[in-house]
Amino acid sequence: MEFSNVISKFDLKEPILSCNPYGNGHINSTFVLCDKKGARFILQRINTSVFKKPEQVMSNIYKVTEYLKKRSHDPRSVMSLVPLKNGENFLNSQDGCWRMYKFIESSVCLDTPETSRDFYECGVGFGTFQRQLRDFPAEELFETIPDFHNTPKRYLAFLEAVEADTFHRAEEVKEEIEFIKSRADFMSVLFDAHKNGRLPLRVTHNDTKINNIMLDSSTRSALCVIDLDTIMPGFSATDFGDSIRSGAVIAAEDEKDLSRVELNLEYFEAYTAGFLDGCGGLLDKEEIQLFPEGAKIMTLECGMRFLTDYLQGDTYFKTSRPKQNLDRCRTQLKLVSDMEKHWDTMKEIINKYL
Ligand code: ADP
Ligand code: GN1
Ligand code: MG
């Protein structure tokens, strides 16, 4: 595939001089481009095995970013698509599905927070995002990955992968399988709360890991929420929880030394404060009370998804080495254990903010 073919379709003022792989996303293929005058752009090949209807993903992103632009004064705070010369907002060609964004300059994107203040700001950013979308017409959004955070369905898919054991890996991960199975009853906790009227559906981001938000590099304040592929109706506790899963821990997501993987309660509290400040009174008391459940369910679900992918031959999440998905699964399960150990403290922290 010739990059120049793809790039030539986009409506750019200056010629592009360089194109290099960029970032640590697990799903799409991301490149940074630099033009003759030094302006940078993000070029992304949308992963169409994951997003089967890319036109629906792009429709959601276009609508949400246009909506947010009207509510924001700083152009760097909203993702900005670069259109094609023909006016479309993505390219669907034999060379794949491609989109382009303006690069968010003078910003940082962290895989783990460097300070609790960084993580507070991530909370402010994701909370603000949810508040800004409170009146967005949810019926206009497509469900880009059906049942994305339907944890009970994810559990059934996991059991099927164990049963099929196509790659003969189940024996090696017996302990992890048992760990997940022994928590089967917990899988429906958020869905049950929803059925009982305690947890409303909102327009949520659904992939609030910390490298999906940019901080301003000089002020370190929340700047822009990115990776908008999974904006769909969802639960506030899920958005809260996925950030805790990915950011309230110092170790990397694929850390092999599990003694380094611990829930950081100071970070947990900082994110709680930031997210609620960002939400600015949007959430009901009962939703906030379910934040610890959101953190644990997202961590368990993610661990289960990594293990399912490992059992199925590593086809969903990008990997750069063998057994990386298994290592990722293990960190998530260790974090679940740690959350269970600190459950009462997590609840006490949340109670302080009610
Ligand atoms: P994936 O879906 O694969 O996770 P992302 O959309 O999250 O892809 O992009 C991957 C990484 O690229 C991000 O974590 C971030 O570091 C970087 N990135 C994405 N969009 C921008 C942007 N507009 N400006 C600067 N960096 C970006
Ligand atoms: C993926 O795309 P990225 O890397 O921001 C995944 C999330 C997982 C996360 C685990 C669309 O996020 O659901 O929680 O990896 N995104 C999709 O790190 O599946
Ligand atoms: Mg991402």
Side-chain angles (χ1 to χ4, degrees):
M1 196 272 307
E2 271 291 325
F3 275 104
S4 52
N5 274 347
V6 171
I7 294 168
S8 69
K9 304 287 191 306
F10 286 87
D11 191 13
L12 295 165
K13 290 194 182 61
E14 302 293 332
I16 295 296
L17 301 187
S18 67
C19 170
N20 292 299
Y22 193 77
N24 294 329
H26 291 346
I27 303 296
N28 298 304
S29 302
T30 303
F31 303 87
V32 61
L33 310 181
C34 190
D35 78 10
K36 204 176 158 195
K37 289 200 168 158
R40 295 196 289 174
F41 301 89
I42 287 284
L43 176 68
Q44 266 183 339
R45 183 178 186 155
I46 303 170
N47 182 335
T48 48
S49 315
V50 169
F51 298 105
K52 308 245 187 293
K53 295 182 178 159
E55 66 288 353
Q56 298 193 346
V57 173
M58 295 312 296
S59 163
N60 285 3
I61 293 179
Y62 180 75
K63 283 183 181 168
V64 166
T65 52
E66 288 300 304
Y67 184 90
L68 292 175
K69 274 179 202 165
K70 292 189 192 118
R71 284 155 184 79
S72 150
H73 301 295
D74 178 356
R76 279 196 310 146
S77 69
V78 184
M79 289 290 268
S80 189
L81 283 163
V82 176
L84 304 186
K85 287 173 180 158
N86 68 10
E88 302 282 331
N89 57 26
F90 79 112
L91 174 69
N92 197 350
S93 73
Q94 281 177 337
D95 292 328
C97 271
W98 297 85
R99 67 181 165 214
M100 200 184 284
Y101 292 109
K102 287 188 187 155
F103 193 95
I104 301 159
E105 296 291 352
S106 309
S107 67
V108 285
C109 179
L110 305 167
D111 289 316
T112 43
E114 284 167 18
T115 61
S116 59
R117 162 116 210 292
D118 280 349
F119 203 34
Y120 167 87
E121 286 296 332
C122 293
V124 171
F126 282 122
T128 304
F129 186 80
Q130 202 156 113
R131 179 170 49 75
Q132 287 177 328
L133 292 174
R134 67 185 301 168
D135 295 322
F136 184 90
E139 66 284 358
E140 287 189 15
L141 292 175
F142 291 105
E143 197 180 4
T144 54
I145 301 181
D147 294 312
F148 189 50
H149 288 312
N150 185 332
T151 317
K153 278 207 179 169
R154 294 269 184 199
Y155 181 57
L156 293 180
F158 160 74
L159 292 179
E160 276 172 28
V162 172
E163 191 57 38
D165 195 17
T166 314
F167 288 80
H168 310 292
R169 292 175 173 179
E171 178 64 23
E172 177 196 4
V173 296
K174 263 194 322 218
E175 263 182 56
E176 287 76 12
I177 293 172
E178 281 319 305
F179 182 99
I180 293 170
K181 283 187 173 173
S182 65
R183 284 153 184 82
D185 289 347
F186 189 73
M187 304 285 174
S188 61
V189 62
L190 296 184
F191 274 69
D192 291 345
H194 175 61
K195 275 188 218 137
N196 298 336
R198 290 168 52 217
L199 189 59
L201 276 175
R202 299 185 178 281
V203 173
T204 49
H205 181 280
N206 295 303
D207 192 359
T208 52
K209 82 170 175 187
I210 91 146
N211 68 14
N212 287 332
I213 187 163
M214 318 292 287
L215 304 183
D216 184 292
S217 54
S218 52
T219 62
R220 291 304 263 213
S221 329
L223 179 60
C224 182
V225 169
I226 64 169
D227 201 346
L228 309 177
D229 296 330
T230 52
I231 297 175
M232 293 181 269
F235 304 131
S236 54
T238 305
D239 271 8
F240 173 85
D242 198 48
S243 292
I244 299 301
R245 172 194 81 71
S246 58
V249 51
I250 311 281
E253 190 176 57
D254 64 348
E255 171 65 57
K256 285 170 187 274
D257 177 1
L258 293 181
S259 69
R260 300 195 59 232
V261 180
E262 286 182 333
L263 176 71
N264 183 316
L265 286 163
E266 184 195 331
Y267 281 18
F268 177 83
E269 175 150 7
Y271 190 87
T272 303
F275 190 73
L276 290 174
D277 282 351
C279 283
L282 169 72
L283 306 182
D284 305 330
K285 187 176 168 193
E286 289 194 310
E287 285 182 275
I288 301 169
Q289 281 171 327
L290 284 164
F291 278 3
E293 279 79 358
K296 183 174 154 187
I297 199 87
M298 288 309 289
T299 313
L300 183 59
E301 182 190 279
C302 197
M304 190 162 71
R305 290 173 63 198
F306 285 140
L307 190 56
T308 304
D309 199 27
Y310 182 67
L311 290 167
Q312 294 178 332
D314 305 305
T315 58
Y316 183 92
F317 296 102
K318 277 196 187 148
T319 52
S320 55
R321 57 175 172 82
K323 295 192 197 282
Q324 192 173 17
N325 272 322
L326 176 56
D327 290 331
R328 288 170 177 158
C329 158
R330 288 180 169 148
T331 62
Q332 303 306 292
L333 302 189
K334 169 72 196 294
L335 200 52
V336 170
S337 300
D338 227 39
M339 288 179 184
E340 290 170 350
K341 197 163 93 193
H342 295 296
W343 194 248
D344 292 343
T345 315
M346 285 164 74
K347 285 275 174 191
E348 278 160 26
I349 292 172
I350 296 299
N351 281 335
K352 281 202 287 183
Y353 289 84
L354 289 178

